[in-house]
Every structure is written in C-alpha cells, then in structure tokens.
Amino acid sequence: EAFAAGELGDAKDYYEAVLEYDETQKDIYIKLADISIQEGKYESAIKTLKKGIKNTEDVEGAKEELTTKLEAAYIAAVDDKVKAASYKEALTMLDEAIAAVNTPVLVQKKKDIYMNQVTDMMEQKNYWDALDIAHKGFDATADKDFQEKIADAYIAMAEQEAEYGNYSYALGLVEEALYDVDSQKLKDTKLNLYKRWIDSDIEAGD
C-alpha cells in the first residue's frame, strides 16, 4: 500500500498505536515496514520486521509472512547500497541478511554483487583487482564460477604480457594460476604461449 508523502506520518502513528494495543498484529508490522521502505528507511523496516517476528511467535503463519517481507526489505536495502556503488556495505548487509534469513535468493545476490564487480574490473582491464575480487567471491560463497573468473583474469594478464613479447612472465602468471585453479583453459593457454614463444624466437632467428 502506497501513501502520499503527507499521509506517511499519520499512517505510521496509527499503526504504532495499534501495536501498543496489540503487538501480535502481523499485518501492522508489514504495513509499518512498507512505509519505511517507501521512505527509503530500509534499516528501520528491517528492525520493525524483526520485532514483528519476535512478537508474533504464537500467531499461525506470521513468521513465514514476516520473514518473506524481511527478505524483501534486505534486498531493497542491498540494492540501494549497490546503486550508490557501496559494495562493501552491501556485502556486509547481505551477511547480516543471510544470518537472519538464509534463502537462496540472498545467497545468489551475494554472488551477483561479487560477479558484477569482477566483470566491471575485467572490462576496465584492471585484472589484478578483478583477480582479488574473484578470490574474495570464492572465499565468501565457495561458488566454482569464481574459479573460472580467477582463470580468466590470469589469462588476460598473461595475454597482455605476451603482446609485449614477455612470454617468460606470461607463462609465470599461468603457472601461478595453475597452483590456484585447475582449469583446462589455463592449460591450453600455457601450451599456446609456449608455441607462440617458440615461433617468435624462430622469426627472430634465435
């Protein structure tokens, strides 16, 4: 339910008065949370919903409804922080959310935030930063997709070095990567770099 800006205060006062009379009204907690979300006060919505879960333990179906709303409030809060590029705060909020409401949606959102950062860094050719974030993503989620990103970052750096003829350093990067990730892409890149290095030496008459 959406309220006009001038109605928010009156509605909030009314709902809070209802809870003073009966703190087990699950729908009222949801309405109060909706107002806070509409105002952009996500942490207030989260606090209200947690209080609602505690106070409606004996109300049938209340925990499920309030937990679903709590998940939505956390997602809105995280999205707001991501929009402001406050990724560290977004991830901290997600850790809190997962501790309170461990759902696949929240776990996936955590993965997505790390993945989006890795993609951004790769597009900007900030490969070391991409590598660092991919490692953090894997440590935080244990998702094997991050191992592919780790391999991609190493390969990009190796290819960059190979373009300048730095095959020894490029191969060193791939070797380092293979200690980190067992990837067929890395093995193929290693073989390809050796072949290109040999061809380069032949062309140079070495």
Side-chain angles (χ1 to χ4, degrees):
E1 182 178 1
F3 295 92
E7 297 175 332
L8 290 174
D10 290 341
K12 188 183 293 185
D13 290 344
Y14 171 74
Y15 292 139
E16 287 173 348
V18 171
L19 288 177
E20 285 182 14
Y21 176 74
D22 182 2
E23 63 180 11
T24 67
Q25 294 291 316
K26 64 176 175 60
D27 291 340
I28 301 301
Y29 290 105
I30 290 172
K31 289 180 184 296
L32 275 171
D34 282 336
I35 289 173
S36 293
I37 290 171
Q38 188 175 336
E39 292 177 322
K41 298 177 180 178
Y42 304 109
E43 292 185 18
S44 177
I46 290 165
K47 184 177 179 180
T48 295
L49 291 163
K50 285 183 175 180
K51 183 178 179 182
I53 291 170
K54 181 180 178 181
N55 290 340
T56 61
E57 289 179 346
D58 297 327
V59 179
E60 186 177 354
K63 183 176 181 180
E64 289 76 11
E65 285 189 48
L66 289 165
T67 298
T68 298
K69 191 67 182 181
L70 180 58
E71 178 189 66
Y74 270 121
I75 289 172
V78 168
D79 286 344
D80 186 61
K81 293 184 184 302
V82 169
K83 187 178 179 181
S86 300
Y87 298 114
K88 187 175 180 179
E89 291 181 20
L91 289 165
T92 299
M93 177 69 73
L94 267 174
D95 286 337
E96 178 188 322
I98 290 169
V101 191
N102 192 357
T103 67
V105 172
L106 292 171
V107 173
Q108 180 63 42
K109 195 150 197 74
K110 187 173 186 178
K111 174 185 174 182
D112 290 345
I113 289 174
Y114 278 113
M115 278 293 185
N116 289 340
Q117 289 183 83
V118 173
T119 299
D120 287 346
M121 292 299 101
M122 290 293 287
E123 288 177 352
Q124 295 170 31
K125 298 186 178 181
N126 294 332
Y127 302 127
W128 284 111
D129 288 341
L131 183 62
D132 180 56
I133 296 167
H135 274 121
K136 288 177 180 176
F138 181 72
D139 291 343
T141 67
D143 193 300
K144 291 184 178 179
D145 287 347
F146 286 105
Q147 292 185 316
E148 286 297 308
K149 294 297 182 182
I150 289 168
D152 289 343
Y154 271 116
I155 289 169
M157 288 189 287
E159 289 292 350
Q160 193 174 58
E161 291 299 324
E163 286 180 13
Y164 294 104
N166 299 329
Y167 288 104
S168 179
Y169 185 60
L171 284 161
L173 286 168
V174 175
E175 289 286 0
E176 181 181 331
L178 283 166
Y179 279 111
D180 201 3
V181 180
D182 184 15
S183 164
Q184 187 60 46
K185 285 193 297 185
L186 285 166
K187 294 173 183 176
D188 291 343
T189 298
K190 179 180 177 180
L191 180 60
N192 180 265
L193 285 170
Y194 269 120
K195 287 179 178 178
R196 285 156 60 189
W197 192 4
I198 292 168
D199 289 343
S200 176
D201 285 347
I202 291 171
E203 288 179 13
D206 294 337

